[in-house]
Amino acid sequence: MVLLAGAVVGGCGDAGATITRLTVGSAGPDPYVLMSGTDQQKIKPSPRGGGTEDGDAPGLYGGTRRAASCDPAKLVAFLQANPDKAAAWASVHKIRPADVPRFVSRLTPVLLRVDTLVTNHGFKNGKATRMPAVLQAGMGVLVNEYGTPVVKCNCGNPLTPPDSTISSGNADYTGASWPGFTKRKVTKIRPRRPVTRFVLVDPEATMGFQRPAATTGGLDGPPMEVPPEELAAPSPDGSGTMDPSVSPQDSLPPDSPSDEPGTPDPSDGPSPGGDVPGQEVPGEDTGAGSGPDSSGEPPIEETSAGAPPPSVEPAVMARRRGTV
């Protein structure tokens, strides 16, 4: 009877949760600062939306090769000019305000390719606020070395993982919706292991490319085929979990552990000091393994999620798609 009562209470908690939908281009409530041009209005979403995805999964995120709409340096400059907001912002990530430049310099700008569940932290009455939110695919974010979204680019709001008690399938939703939105496609992103090079997909999903961690596009690798995981991604069922016909082990990337690891302590990452990021090549080790080669075009090499697909020229890619 005690177990049954606990299950009822837990179920009621999930059912009572309210998640705010935030559409592409929407700053949402209590923004730190308004920044335009950070989101992509037209993006082909990933077919793997729903359930839980590892932050290092190839093709989970997107972007425009050799360009990044999110500017980490502007965010740092704004926070340094507004100490009250910097203090609130830093408290969310459990760092000191003086460590904000170093913390932000280790982040990577990407575009969401799945509707992503997060905890969004705004700024109101001198303090940080918090609310569960789902961000529409196409929104620009900064991710940490584990591929976890930590900044919402169009407003500067810090992001943290969603509370473990929230069930996206049982929650109520508020805010404007968008075409194709369903509860079963809301995706949680979990950290798995440090990423040295993110395998991104362009907005039209016609090619992939590598972006070294903690860079803003200038060191992006040459075009590659779209990651095979994108072409054979399992479809989620109505509960927000993977298709029951696919075993849990089969749904994980190669050499992925079957147990979900705990969220890394953000306080372990940054250390005091650091310069304001503004260069394409970070001036220090990112703490996520070997950094990019600052001498020029980064080579295509094995990523943390396995060897990337072979590089191909755009003309070859076009022939494979039957367009020429």
Side-chain angles (χ1 to χ4, degrees):
M1 291 180 65
V2 172
L3 292 176
L4 179 59
V8 171
V9 172
C12 290
D14 287 343
T18 300
I19 299 173
T20 301
R21 286 181 293 240
L22 296 178
T23 60
V24 165
S26 169
D30 306 327
Y32 275 73
V33 59
L34 299 180
M35 296 185 179
S36 60
T38 65
D39 300 344
Q40 177 62 251
Q41 294 288 342
K42 295 181 179 179
I43 189 172
K44 184 176 181 180
S46 171
R48 69 172 101 201
T52 300
E53 288 288 341
D54 293 318
D56 63 348
L60 175 63
Y61 295 114
T64 300
R65 182 173 173 269
R66 298 287 188 175
S69 57
C70 192
D71 190 337
K74 286 185 178 180
L75 174 62
V76 170
F78 171 80
L79 292 175
Q80 290 181 323
N82 295 271
D84 56 337
K85 291 187 175 182
W89 196 99
S91 70
V92 173
H93 288 306
K94 300 179 181 179
I95 61 175
R96 298 180 305 172
D99 295 337
V100 168
R102 184 180 179 90
F103 179 87
V104 175
S105 74
R106 295 178 172 182
L107 307 181
T108 308
V110 297
L111 294 174
L112 297 178
R113 299 188 65 236
V114 294
D115 297 339
T116 303
L117 185 63
V118 298
T119 300
N120 178 39
H121 300 263
F123 181 82
K124 186 176 183 180
N125 298 326
K127 297 181 179 180
T129 62
R130 58 177 289 142
M131 70 173 186
V134 56
L135 310 182
Q136 183 184 6
M139 191 168 289
V141 296
L142 293 174
V143 297
N144 63 14
E145 66 268 32
Y146 292 93
T148 302
V150 293
V151 179
K152 183 172 176 284
C153 291
N154 64 14
C155 62
N157 286 13
L159 305 173
T160 56
D163 292 341
S164 59
T165 57
I166 293 179
S167 169
S168 58
N170 295 331
D172 295 323
Y173 288 80
T174 186
S177 186
W178 50 84
F181 172 81
T182 63
K183 291 183 179 182
R184 68 182 181 85
K185 289 185 179 180
V186 174
T187 306
K188 294 182 179 181
I189 297 176
R190 64 184 171 195
R192 191 165 76 104
R193 56 187 176 186
V195 184
T196 57
R197 295 176 184 269
F198 290 93
V199 179
L200 308 182
V201 173
D202 74 313
E204 295 78 23
T206 59
M207 72 172 184
F209 61 94
Q210 290 189 350
R211 174 167 294 170
T215 65
T216 56
L219 295 179
D220 288 351
M224 307 187 310
E225 290 182 329
V226 173
E229 294 87 347
E230 278 296 294
L231 305 177
S235 59
D237 64 9
S239 64
T241 57
M242 292 302 178
D243 189 333
S245 65
V246 180
S247 69
Q249 190 62 38
D250 290 341
S251 65
L252 291 173
D255 63 73
S256 171
S258 58
D259 294 330
E260 178 177 342
T263 302
D265 186 351
S267 63
D268 292 340
S271 58
D275 298 328
V276 176
Q279 302 297 324
E280 293 296 343
V281 183
E284 59 187 315
D285 185 5
T286 64
S290 60
D293 182 359
S294 60
S295 62
E297 184 89 327
I300 297 302
E301 61 184 36
E302 183 173 324
T303 69
S304 61
S311 173
V312 295
E313 294 297 329
V316 176
M317 293 166 56
R319 285 198 296 271
R320 291 181 180 180
R321 295 195 304 270
T323 58
V324 298

